Amino acid sequence: MSETALICGHRGFKGKYTENTLYSFDKCYETGATLIETDLWITKDGVLVISHDNNTKRVFCGPNGEVADFDILDSTYDEIKDLQTIETGERLLTFNDVLDWFVHYIKTHDNSNGHKLMLDIKKLNPAKLVKYLIKDLLKVNDDIGWWLHRVILGVWDLGIIKFLNQEGYFQNVFAAGSKNTLGYKQFDIFHISVSWKDSLHYINYNSYVDTLPKDGSVRFKATGVSIIYLLTWSTRFLTKFIPRLKSQRMKLYMWTINTFDQFEYLMNIGKIARISEYGIITDYPQRMMIYRDKHLGFPDSDNEIATEITRLTESIDRYDTENEPATVQLTVKQRIMYLFYKSFNYIGGAKRVTDEELQFDSFVDEDKRQPIKVNKFFLWIFATCQKYGVF
């Protein structure tokens, strides 16, 4: 079990430097944070590039400053390879660029086992992206075992994990791969979640995988959940979801955590619920490192901890907003924000978990792209909130 929370820099050090650049990644690790979260897209001709958005115009421009309005999924790499960041003129990175930088960092820092990359694979991407991802890893270091504890796959679509279990390519790579020094048999795979109820489907999928024949095949499972913090401010999250998470020994991260109160809430859950590993994704890794190392101390005994953290000692005669017995005290502000975001999610109109995903044994077409129909006003609000660090 983790003794303290791990800190992951959101797109590097997004709060201070241009997102998803090598300079931002360097600055993130300089703070002492050991994880970097970044985003992958696949071009029309099969090159993985680093960008949060599938469209380039928010962050990038052409070499002469011209508007760069490209959809990465529908563009060839040659069409976008000369793009650079609007703010600082840093070029659009390929995944290979990041891997070369990462391997060099590890080699020059005592072959660190603690530094990791968390790769956000957005829902619009086809499942074949993960095949190209593995191939890129092996180009840079052909020992798959070297990568297993250093790479985290963040997925929005259960089809990615299903594809890993169905496609023979992965069976060949992982069966032939050398053993991992820390005992990992697969990458950590996190469901990036905007609803803990959606994440239950990943836990159920793990149970389904456990029923498959023991024929020597490598079986991939979800090993963690990375959830927007506003949707954790619910008694049902604490009393219904956390026990299910623990039943699979899964890890828990929250995003995007930029204040001490948000961070402390996760620390309380992780410490008392004894989550196997817990952490935050933050725009300000330096600020969060200071909070963690200087301001978040815990008493030695569980009794003293329970006395401090009153939200975990409330009697069962209280009820939350959904008429469930409340064993956890949440502040009025947290309850209001939870209800606001829950309603906000509903207005967005996107069906996050499809019927196809929930058919655990259904075939995954590696080339198929999942269209997402979301209210445009919802997208604007969400993007604006992210810009100012609310999400």
Side-chain angles (χ1 to χ4, degrees):
M1 187 191 82
S2 294
E3 292 300 321
T4 190
L6 298 179
I7 295 176
C8 179
H10 188 211
R11 308 179 209 170
F13 196 152
K14 176 179 174 288
K16 191 172 181 180
Y17 304 100
T18 302
E19 65 184 59
N20 285 327
T21 61
L22 295 184
Y23 189 71
S24 182
F25 296 162
D26 270 320
K27 289 299 182 181
C28 177
Y29 277 164
E30 282 180 15
T31 68
T34 53
L35 288 83
I36 287 171
E37 183 269 354
T38 191
D39 311 274
L40 294 182
W41 294 96
I42 187 168
T43 65
K44 188 164 62 174
D45 53 344
V47 179
L48 300 189
V49 297
I50 305 297
S51 173
H52 178 267
D53 309 341
N54 63 304
N55 188 284
T56 59
K57 66 181 178 181
R58 178 180 65 88
V59 175
F60 299 98
C61 63
N64 298 311
E66 64 271 25
V67 173
D69 190 2
F70 295 92
D71 186 321
I72 295 171
L73 292 166
D74 293 324
S75 304
T76 66
Y77 178 61
D78 277 345
E79 290 177 305
I80 62 174
K81 64 184 176 73
D82 294 324
L83 299 186
Q84 58 190 30
T85 60
I86 296 170
E87 292 180 346
T88 54
E90 296 165 89
R91 69 183 183 84
L92 172 71
L93 295 171
T94 65
F95 185 43
N96 265 312
D97 292 331
V98 175
L99 294 179
D100 286 336
W101 167 85
F102 179 73
V103 169
H104 179 263
Y105 185 93
I106 296 299
K107 288 181 178 179
T108 56
H109 288 78
D110 299 322
N111 290 313
S112 168
N113 286 315
H115 289 83
K116 302 182 181 185
L117 295 174
M118 180 180 285
L119 307 174
D120 187 333
I121 303 171
K122 298 290 194 296
K123 198 174 184 74
L124 281 173
N125 279 298
K128 67 181 179 183
L129 179 147
V130 74
K131 186 184 292 185
Y132 285 82
L133 184 157
I134 301 295
K135 290 179 178 179
D136 280 353
L137 292 178
L138 295 177
K139 285 179 188 175
V140 177
N141 184 332
D142 63 2
D143 177 6
I144 194 65
W146 189 89
W147 292 106
L148 292 185
H149 63 281
R150 293 183 168 103
V151 169
I152 301 169
L153 303 185
V155 302
W156 295 79
D157 193 322
L158 185 57
I160 295 292
I161 309 180
K162 290 165 59 178
F163 181 58
L164 284 165
N165 281 317
Q166 292 174 10
E167 173 58 44
Y169 169 78
F170 303 112
Q171 295 299 321
N172 292 333
V173 167
F174 285 82
S178 63
K179 292 183 178 179
N180 177 265
T181 56
L182 299 184
Y184 280 65
K185 296 180 180 179
Q186 65 162 84
F187 299 117
D188 269 329
I189 305 176
F190 280 51
H191 175 220
I192 304 176
S193 177
V194 294
S195 167
W196 60 266
K197 292 181 181 179
D198 293 349
S199 296
L200 288 175
H201 301 308
Y202 288 69
I203 296 174
N204 292 337
Y205 179 75
N206 283 355
S207 298
Y208 161 77
V209 171
D210 288 338
T211 68
L212 296 177
K214 305 296 188 290
D215 57 3
S217 298
V218 179
R219 304 295 190 192
F220 296 88
K221 299 169 70 174
T223 61
V225 171
S226 176
I227 186 169
I228 187 168
Y229 71 91
L230 289 171
L231 261 295
T232 69
W233 289 348
S234 159
T235 301
R236 295 187 71 196
F237 169 80
L238 295 161
T239 60
K240 306 294 184 183
F241 180 71
I242 290 296
R244 292 291 307 278
L245 187 86
K246 288 189 63 179
S247 72
Q248 289 279 339
R249 298 187 58 80
M250 293 172 72
K251 303 172 182 181
L252 176 67
Y253 281 60
M254 292 185 190
W255 55 275
T256 304
I257 301 294
N258 289 324
T259 71
F260 176 60
D261 289 345
Q262 296 163 359
F263 191 9
E264 184 181 32
Y265 178 69
L266 171 68
M267 289 283 289
N268 293 342
I269 294 172
K271 187 79 173 181
I272 293 176
R274 301 183 183 277
I275 304 296
S276 62
E277 178 181 304
Y278 51 99
I280 62 167
I281 300 170
T282 178
D283 294 331
Y284 298 95
Q286 186 174 35
R287 179 191 301 170
M288 294 298 109
M289 287 295 298
I290 293 171
Y291 281 149
R292 188 190 74 176
D293 296 340
K294 292 187 177 181
H295 300 292
L296 289 178
F298 285 90
D300 291 334
S301 77
D302 288 344
N303 287 336
E304 289 173 331
I305 293 172
T307 300
E308 274 197 9
I309 306 167
T310 57
R311 68 169 62 93
L312 292 182
T313 60
E314 191 67 26
S315 64
I316 203 165
D317 60 355
R318 292 179 59 88
Y319 289 83
D320 74 0
T321 53
E322 295 180 89
N323 296 318
E324 288 287 337
T327 58
V328 174
Q329 181 181 355
L330 295 164
T331 67
V332 173
K333 178 183 176 181
Q334 285 174 319
R335 291 175 184 274
I336 292 172
M337 290 299 293
Y338 167 74
L339 288 173
F340 165 77
Y341 188 73
K342 183 179 177 182
S343 301
F344 179 69
N345 243 355
Y346 178 78
I347 294 170
K351 188 173 184 181
R352 296 179 302 266
V353 180
T354 65
D355 294 337
E356 185 177 4
E357 284 182 78
L358 297 181
Q359 296 174 13
F360 294 157
D361 59 351
S362 64
F363 174 74
V364 176
D365 181 350
E366 67 175 46
D367 294 306
K368 183 177 179 180
R369 288 160 52 179
Q370 293 284 359
I372 303 176
K373 296 180 180 180
V374 183
N375 183 294
K376 290 184 178 180
F377 181 63
F378 168 87
L379 286 178
W380 178 81
I381 294 177
F382 191 88
T384 301
C385 288
Q386 277 211 315
K387 180 180 179 180
Y388 291 104
V390 177
F391 301 151

